[in-house]
Amino acid sequence: MLLFGPYPRIVLLHWLATPLCLISLVSGLRLQATSRPDNLSRALASLLPQGDMYGLHLWAACGWLLLCCAYLGHRQLSQRGRRRNPPSATLPAATLKGHHPFNHWLIHLGRWLVLGLVIIGLMLWLGGSTFAGGRLLMLHRWLAWGLLVYVVIHSLAQWALAGRVRAILLPHLPRRHWLTAVLVTVSLGGMSSLARPAWLWLTQATLPVPNIAADLIITIDGDASDSAWQQAPVRQVDTLQSGNDAAVVPVQIQALRQGEVIYFRFSWPDTSPSLRHLPLVKTAEGWRIQQHGFSQRDETEFYEDKLAVLFARHPDAAGASTLQQGPQPLAGKPAHITGRAYHAAPAGELVDVWHWKAVRTHGFNQLDDSHFGPAYPTVPGDIHYTGGYRSDPLQAGGYAENWSWPGDGIVTPKRLPRDPALLAPFQQAGADDPNLYWGLSWYETRPYSAQDDHYPIGTVMPSVLWKTRLEGDRGDVRAVARWYRGVWTLEAARALAATSRFDLELQDGIYMWVAVFDHSQTRHSYHLRPLRLQFSGGVRL
Amino acid sequence: MSWYGSNPIRWLAGLTVSSLLTGCPASGVGPSVERYQKLDAKGRPLDVQQGPWACVLDRQTGLIWENKTDNEGLHYEAATYSWFSAEQGTGRPKAGSCVGADMGVFACDSSDLLKSARQQQWCGQRGWQIPTHQQLHSLLHDTGFAGNPRIATGFFPNTGRMPYWTADWRLGAQGEVEALQIHFGTAEAGWLSTRHAARLRLVVDPAVTRITQP
């Protein structure tokens, strides 16, 4: 491109900027439609792309960076050339007509808009979406809308002042430059694709994993006062909860290795522990599930607190490209009931997911070991398709829901307590009682029968039935959490080696993310850039 | 990223072809959902979104299958039965382990479950049977996830990755009665001495029942 004259270079820059502009805008709009939908993004939703939108947005961002470099080269060459030849000798007449002061001002504005978007985009990537309390993200959105308006006005101005919009496009590019122009365009696309992993690698953060002596004791109890933790550097990631309850949730993370075991500590603020999980309440018609959005997979009140930890071999944004956004982002698979997103890994990839659940796994001293695989086939009769997300295989144990079939209306409990007095603590409990976990042991209950159902109207009953600890691949991670003075602390431990085909070996270079669910079924905070595990001395299994 | 692809060129092609021209998402319903029909305890059809259900009609074969639950009782998923034919006096009686709704554990065999099913006319049917190998084999379905049993779990929840009895039997090399079982974890069939216990899912063929029952 640098060998072209100034006019062909301008044409080529427009060629390259136009698809980048389109891709950046539509992928950004999908990100907005998923996280914080407004009327405009809703209206455009059917035209927006679906899938790995962060990957697409980042690809375009790399393209913009390369284009900025190309533009600077163009400016440099133009300045040199201008000294030798005045513009009237090199530009077509139609273009010269566009040299109106308004057009100059407008083009200048466009440059600043693009530059602003690129710089803010860089800051958001490096500082996280929570940078400057989320205000920078808002500014990025407004500038993106500004760019859209600019494109329209710029096109109109070119048409009005320079004759035709196409004066700057294809017909005026000399034919001898076409092949070179196509090669440059393809090269930029290829370079963007190469630049993305390079960029991800260059901007990665690390989580040091020191070795500790074999005789040091770490008790997995949700209390990180063990002296061993003082040897582990603390890293903090700021996760962003988007949507109407937008909030920044900082998560502190530490890791330690002892022999063949790795330990993690996660701490995050929460003003109140949410230990109610879809309780049942007796009404005049029968039992109902207390919920506002459970049937739409979007309960945000009567739900337990949760934390998810993701491990992947690749650092692609937002969980190694597993966030597939849009109402139906997976080809040939069911639409998502919330219209927001599925999780599914690219073909051949596996993301190990540790899913701690405050109530459902309480007392097991385990978390729910899960994974994101490639999108699973639909299973006949399944009412909730989950993309590539599954709990790892379970041999026995676990928990169950206390209804025969879920619904918005009346439900039949699956079981009732053997001793009705077991329900007494729940009747007067506060919503955020930190000491009352809303569950019953399976073995403290028996199958429901109408003869036993003498509970008065207004009685509340937990819907979580604990069977026993998770047996099988699903129970591979020991974990205990504790809420104390506004902070959840979760300690977890697992063997470095993977003992299941649904787990990853935890070794040098594995990337991790965290996501916080604040009494929420599916909405959670998250961050884009992962932490890279960095073992002292390195670990390669 | 499905049809859009993580590759922007694929995405642009997808946007043009699939979204702008059709603008219509696929139905998202699996291809075999129409094969099965949920039935309540009296045999009345239920919508696929409804539950709980007691039986499942397989429209492809015409067979009606017992549905299992995780609650203790007659349809308890984890109950195991020794294989025994009361009519022929074949097999091993009372060598399985069942759990009643009162949580009491008792010895049981396949004829006990058959007797209850016929007497209580589950789903309005009298002619309940232990399925033949061919019948039970027709339920095998790979969901694509190794953690699932090999069956359409949306219609047949509470199925174990375990062996289930069929009605096919023989005399083994040692002169012992053996019955064929199908393992819903591996989809393999194998002969098992009837002194051992396995799970059991009963079936009824309404067409045969209509002919044989006056």
Side-chain angles (χ1 to χ4, degrees), chain A residues 166-243:
Chain A
R166 66 190 175 95
I168 201 71
L169 296 178
L170 187 65
H172 282 274
L173 184 68
R175 284 182 182 275
R176 66 181 184 277
H177 291 314
W178 279 27
L179 179 62
T180 315
V182 169
L183 286 174
V184 169
T185 307
V186 171
S187 300
L188 186 92
M191 284 166 70
S192 294
S193 299
L194 291 174
R196 191 176 75 166
W199 177 251
L200 289 168
W201 192 84
L202 285 170
T203 58
Q204 65 186 351
T206 57
L207 175 67
V209 188
N211 270 320
I212 57 168
D215 57 354
L216 264 182
I217 294 173
I218 301 180
T219 309
I220 301 297
D221 56 2
D223 176 2
S225 60
D226 302 305
S227 61
W229 286 118
Q230 291 169 13
Q231 300 182 30
V234 178
R235 291 287 183 268
Q236 177 170 308
V237 292
D238 290 333
T239 64
L240 179 66
Q241 167 81 54
S242 53

Side-chain angles (χ1 to χ4, degrees), chain A residues 384-460:
Chain A
H384 291 306
Y385 179 69
T386 57
Y389 168 56
R390 290 286 170 95
S391 293
D392 291 355
L394 178 72
Q395 284 179 1
Y399 53 82
E401 299 155 328
N402 194 11
W403 48 72
S404 301
W405 188 252
D408 288 337
I410 301 300
V411 299
T412 304
K414 188 179 283 179
R415 302 171 80 84
L416 291 173
R418 287 166 176 253
D419 179 0
L422 285 172
L423 296 187
F426 302 102
Q427 306 313 309
Q428 304 301 327
D432 298 321
D433 187 332
N435 300 311
L436 187 63
Y437 287 80
W438 283 65
L440 294 169
S441 164
W442 179 273
Y443 305 101
E444 293 171 342
T445 62
R446 62 182 168 210
Y448 177 88
S449 78
Q451 289 77 22
D452 294 340
D453 190 357
H454 302 301
Y455 294 92
I457 291 169
T459 302
V460 287

Side-chain angles (χ1 to χ4, degrees), chain A residues 49-50 328-329 334 394 414-415, chain B residues 2 4 11 25 28 71-72 161:
Chain A
Q50 305 184 72
Q328 194 179 13
L394 178 72
K414 188 179 283 179
R415 302 171 80 84
Chain B
S2 73
Y4 317 102
W11 166 75
N71 254 344
E72 298 86 350
R161 285 176 285 161

Side-chain angles (χ1 to χ4, degrees), chain B residues 5 9 37 42 44 46 52 71 74 78 112 117 132 140-141 144 148 160 192 200 204 206 208 211:
Chain B
I9 296 166
Q37 169 75 62
K42 294 187 174 173
R44 294 172 297 206
L46 297 172
N71 254 344
L74 266 180
D112 295 327
T132 64
L140 287 173
H141 172 92
N148 279 346
L192 185 68
L200 179 61
V204 59
V208 172
I211 294 167

Side-chain angles (χ1 to χ4, degrees), chain A residues 286-358:
Chain A
W287 294 89
R288 284 182 185 275
I289 303 171
Q290 285 190 294
Q291 53 98 17
H292 296 305
F294 172 57
S295 56
Q296 298 302 310
R297 310 285 289 170
D298 199 16
E299 179 59 36
T300 55
E301 184 176 350
F302 296 98
Y303 217 84
E304 65 188 337
D305 287 334
K306 299 189 286 182
L307 180 84
V309 186
L310 279 61
F311 297 97
R313 295 188 187 93
H314 303 291
D316 294 293
S321 292
T322 56
L323 185 59
Q324 306 292 324
Q325 301 191 49
Q328 194 179 13
L330 304 170
K333 300 294 190 295
H336 196 280
I337 194 166
T338 67
R340 294 200 309 269
Y342 283 120
H343 286 289
E349 292 296 330
L350 176 89
V351 173
D352 199 352
V353 179
W354 294 2
H355 208 171
W356 168 77
K357 301 170 180 174

